[in-house]
Amino acid sequence: MTTVRAAAPMPGRVVRILVGPGDEVTARQPVVVVEAMKMENELRSPKAGRVKDVSVAVGASVEAGRVLIVVE
């Protein structure tokens, strides 16, 4: 089973987490919303699978490239 990660595309603040560990997701399903420069960016699952880990919390500041969700 391949593990993939959804990472922040730019620095910002996590405003919503839409899935939790153990949740089944489909490819391109929204998983996290990050606010950057007063715009909300919806991060989507890179593949279908099960969420293995959510490594951020709502309100957390994230840098570009930080892994937010792991899907296997």
Side-chain angles (χ1 to χ4, degrees):
M1 189 175 281
T2 307
T3 300
V4 294
R5 295 163 174 84
M10 62 186 68
R13 184 176 58 88
V14 176
V15 292
R16 282 193 305 279
I17 298 173
L18 307 172
V19 296
D23 288 355
E24 290 287 331
V25 294
T26 59
R28 311 268 315 133
Q29 176 181 331
V31 292
V32 177
V33 179
V34 176
E35 183 182 77
M37 300 186 308
K38 304 210 188 235
M39 292 179 56
E40 289 189 356
N41 299 290
E42 204 172 63
L43 279 75
R44 298 177 179 270
S45 176
K47 71 168 202 157
R50 183 178 304 271
V51 176
K52 181 179 178 184
D53 184 41
V54 177
S55 60
V56 293
V58 172
S61 293
V62 296
E63 63 279 352
R66 168 136 183 229
V67 173
L68 307 177
I69 302 278
V70 177
V71 178
E72 63 176 10

